[in-house]
Amino acid sequence: MNKNSSNTMALAPNTSNKRETVCIFGTGDFGRALGHKMIQSGYPVVYGSRSTQTSSLIPKDAEVLSHAEAAQKAAIIIIAIQRQHYNFLTPLAEILHGKVLVDVSNNLKINQYPDSNAEHLAQLVPGAKVVKAFNTVSAWALQSGTLDASRQVFVCGNDTEAKQTVMDIVRALGLTPLDQGSLLAAQEIENYPLQLFPMWKFPILLSLGLTAFFFFYCLIRDVIYPYIYENKDFSFFIAISIPNRICPVLALILLALVYLPGVLAAIIQLYRGTKYRRFPDWLDKWMLCRKQLGLVALAFASLHVLYTLVIPIRSFVRWRISSQIISQAQNNETEPLNTTNAWLSDSYVALGILGFFLFVLLGITSLPSVSNNVNWREFRFIQSKLGYLTLVLCTAHTLVYGGKWFLSPSSYRWYLPNAYMLSLIVPCIVLVLKFVLIFPCLDKPLTRIRQGWERNPQYSE
Amino acid sequence: MNKNSSNTMALAPNTSNKRETVCIFGTGDFGRALGHKMIQSGYPVVYGSRSTQTSSLIPKDAEVLSHAEAAQKAAIIIIAIQRQHYNFLTPLAEILHGKVLVDVSNNLKINQYPDSNAEHLAQLVPGAKVVKAFNTVSAWALQSGTLDASRQVFVCGNDTEAKQTVMDIVRALGLTPLDQGSLLAAQEIENYPLQLFPMWKFPILLSLGLTAFFFFYCLIRDVIYPYIYENKDFSFFIAISIPNRICPVLALILLALVYLPGVLAAIIQLYRGTKYRRFPDWLDKWMLCRKQLGLVALAFASLHVLYTLVIPIRSFVRWRISSQIISQAQNNETEPLNTTNAWLSDSYVALGILGFFLFVLLGITSLPSVSNNVNWREFRFIQSKLGYLTLVLCTAHTLVYGGKWFLSPSSYRWYLPNAYMLSLIVPCIVLVLKFVLIFPCLDKPLTRIRQGWERNPQYSE
Amino acid sequence: MNKNSSNTMALAPNTSNKRETVCIFGTGDFGRALGHKMIQSGYPVVYGSRSTQTSSLIPKDAEVLSHAEAAQKAAIIIIAIQRQHYNFLTPLAEILHGKVLVDVSNNLKINQYPDSNAEHLAQLVPGAKVVKAFNTVSAWALQSGTLDASRQVFVCGNDTEAKQTVMDIVRALGLTPLDQGSLLAAQEIENYPLQLFPMWKFPILLSLGLTAFFFFYCLIRDVIYPYIYENKDFSFFIAISIPNRICPVLALILLALVYLPGVLAAIIQLYRGTKYRRFPDWLDKWMLCRKQLGLVALAFASLHVLYTLVIPIRSFVRWRISSQIISQAQNNETEPLNTTNAWLSDSYVALGILGFFLFVLLGITSLPSVSNNVNWREFRFIQSKLGYLTLVLCTAHTLVYGGKWFLSPSSYRWYLPNAYMLSLIVPCIVLVLKFVLIFPCLDKPLTRIRQGWERNPQYSE
């Protein structure tokens, strides 16, 4: 939390006899914020504006000149203007020739224009060296110095030297420049701040869909069925009992879906006999969002744990237990300890605890700062070996929990099996396929293929 | 955890025919540790000392000369001496002219001297280029190579080139230099290693104060009152029952205090019609420690969860339940299931689980490595949208929990309402204000103000 | 999770009129993957190969020439060939003279050869400047762009300029170069990707050993003893009851072992009167894996918490409680509330909760991204002050839990004391030693020694 202190530290305004003057076109919100920050970091700043009246909002140490005059004073010009007004730059083309133009603009929608703003700028002023930068930082963050979110500034441009100059400025402002290559990357950089968790979209939509399905499924089996046949009102199951059925089911299915694409990829590679042909697009996308799928599964597993641990403090459960005990006491019954039951109950709980524990470990190692400190061998060990162990434990937990009910007809209401039976389908398929794939007759060729060997070298187009 | 390996790796002592000689004044603990590390990284090191006898503690490959001789051998001189002895440098002023002097000193107290040590040094040797660096690294960390804490080295100085040279050395030693600007920043850099969680001071003091208040409040209501009126000894409530009342109350109040300053800022901006006037100082400070307030609230919420989950294994609770059941069994009573009670109990528990789950999510995204990988739109989505949802869920959890007791006179002992009723005041204010602010007639002008629009441009001084 | 976006961003193939041509010897898997990535980043790539037929797998924009021809086209030559085939480079020595050779090779085993591959290469081609790099990145990671694990590329070499050139390429590919010094570091760099959690080996082996010991210890006391003497089948204790005895015992012992080396080091320093003599090797190693020991202890503590919280939903526990209540109801007994018991039960639970809470805090602050944002004073405050408080709370938790059984003979079955009694030995030793060390008569000289003072300066050899 001391990260911010670097921003609040006193930065001298006049240490910069060696720093080059920077010109900013546009005295809007972002232009002013950037200018302030640059002056703090020791850069002389000149504003280029239509009206050269100094407003009270413009940093005091900055000059305000006409566009042409301002541009002549500096080798680097930051264009803090919206794309619609870029046209005013065309008459200045001569003055801007050979200068570094920094495009900081953002759009309102993803892919709003066919070409990126930076490429548009490069086309309008062909003699200038256009660099895209600073669009991922907000004016507010620059002003307040509370850079809680990312300090990364994506930079791209066709001229390596111009890019280097801009990256030095970024660094001087206390931000982290990231070279993204040529101006072709500008479109993606401009879309970046508009994105809202793009990698999470599929996992979250999938889990919402599955949640809705299993919610109505359990509602029919656990609330509507007893209401119709036994005239019992279990509507309060909606609060805890049904969520506590949905969560483990989703956690298990999503966890299995994390490992399914790896197994499918292995089968495809074995079938093709090479690793050099691209996977189908859906498989590629699926593989890229495995981490997100796993984390959503972990969220459901955590909710399942919480829902399970509160069972004994639920008023319904307390009522059920006490009425059982009272009826036993009144009938003078004393039940002996059923060791089989104790074994079953304890072992499915223990399997669940161990599975959840490993799952949390997997989640912790997927934190960026942890996975950065791990080499490839260790990363693969955790995500593959420990991951499969987690899947095995969680599947076993579900099997032991419900094993005895598989053959009992009372667990099929309206021919609908219990939800956890459905949840076992995907994990069992994954585990069986994986089990087959570790047989040496399949594992050996697969390993060779992954090391670059090809069965039919002529196959590759 | 492999981070350290970079330190334990073999670094050659004689690869440095291209690395410039570094002179270190002072053969104390830090001077020796720094010299060792520099020699490991390939820098020839010369010590300047009063006595030129080579001690066994000084690195073997380093020469020990008189101050004047040593200074002549190098362009960079590290002053590993305490501020009190800086005066001996005055006679050396001529030799030190034009050299880079690196001030590595620390003080014992924050703001011990009116000027920083580095500025003092610059004044004593006006011809030299003074750079402040290395003061945030400990001798022990350099020696042992276990840089578990920060590798960041703050660097500041008036001469850009000199600063660059020092930053290159920092990088070569495996540390991360952070340019902090001119020597004016030296004071702050010298205070930095003496700080002890400055941003946490207010949240922790506030929560300690509130904890003390609510502790005595609950003590009076739950222990002293029954002792006086019913002569019952519930002193053991101090261990779990009372903490489990204080924790949720504090979690809710502190969480609401995270969102209150944002609401107040919006009201101030709406009233002023501009965002370009500074907020009052207290509001600025409050806004800067919102993250810490939120994390303290999360800590209390976590304790509340733990205290709640252990309820069924408490010996007092077991005794109470079993004596209830026994008395029912003996009186041949059988209570039917109270569906309303089941609904209330299940829904406040479910609301609490969901609120806590979102709260933990907020906590995870505030980890530096996670928030660094998130763009501004995503960060605002999490911290604002999810944050308010958390506040709504937690407030609803408290309301449903205690709703039925609001009107019951028995919950007012000595006219003192239950603690959770007090805890609802701040969150309800925040939620009502926020609800008012999202009406379009207020939201629209606010959005425009935040984009830089001003109602009365002449207003700004 | 958006880290990856930097890889998937469009990188232009022809922006690189300023980027120098890179030659890659070897068209194997890694050579191709590296070439692809370099072309994407704007480097012209030439392959040197035995057969100059362009394969479909080689990037389209790359030329394939003979080794000699390719080497002449570039100043940097990447040797993507296995060590066994390095001999073919000897005849090319003249062409390679003065060029930068980048060794990217890895071995199959740690310390497979007496010298590192890079040093072997430097010996074969003495005129070239050999740099070790890229061996920590996998071909798959380069191809797919999913650099979930580390982006760090360790670089070492004797020629500073050559190293700098290679580090610039690393940066241009979106990876993070880490300068490791001279070629002497190559052995360690080559071993790095073969390591599997080297710092975790000792803590994990130790905890496995202790787990096995305590498992059989508890098995004898809790399952075999009652089976023989009372003919009761408690075999299902293996699932939860026994793990829930082992976990707290191991957590406490391992936590104490985290603080024991610090206490021993203090005693050694006090005895020797100097801090400048190295500790015995075992103590050094022990101190370096304290963090890992602590995290393993935290894992056991978390399991203990989970095992404890599920107690009330275990079928055995429900049976035991209900049969107790039934027998009481049938015998018309009503037990009054035992306040002492309520105090004891509540306070050991409360101590456990607070201890676990602080333990989790310690764990969170050991996350790399958190500890990087903390200065030394804060780090020491957390890890030492809060750490000891955690140890005190956890020891007190155990003492209060079992205090009453210490003197009861029934807790010694076959003269074996309860496992938790054994677990108290190490923590009590640590706490007593630490308590003695904070007496001023010992604390003062220790502080002075740690600041560099020596009792017998002649002592140091």
Side-chain angles (χ1 to χ4, degrees), chain A residues 180 182 275-276 377-378, chain C residues 11-12 29 32 194 197 314:
Chain A
Q180 297 298 325
S182 78
K275 73 163 184 178
Y276 291 110
R377 201 175 155 218
E378 294 164 343
Chain C
L11 292 159
D29 195 25
R32 290 197 296 262
L194 301 168
F197 299 112
R314 287 174 62 195

Side-chain angles (χ1 to χ4, degrees), chain C residues 166-211:
Chain C
V166 174
M167 285 169 78
D168 284 343
I169 295 177
V170 172
R171 245 179 242 116
L173 302 193
L175 303 162
T176 314
L178 278 175
D179 189 344
Q180 296 299 325
S182 78
L183 263 199
L184 285 177
Q187 184 95 19
E188 200 138 352
I189 294 178
E190 286 170 12
N191 284 337
Y192 177 75
L194 301 168
Q195 287 170 349
L196 196 60
F197 299 112
M199 308 293 285
W200 291 85
K201 212 166 271 172
F202 170 66
I204 284 175
L205 284 180
L206 177 71
S207 56
L208 283 182
L210 285 173
T211 304

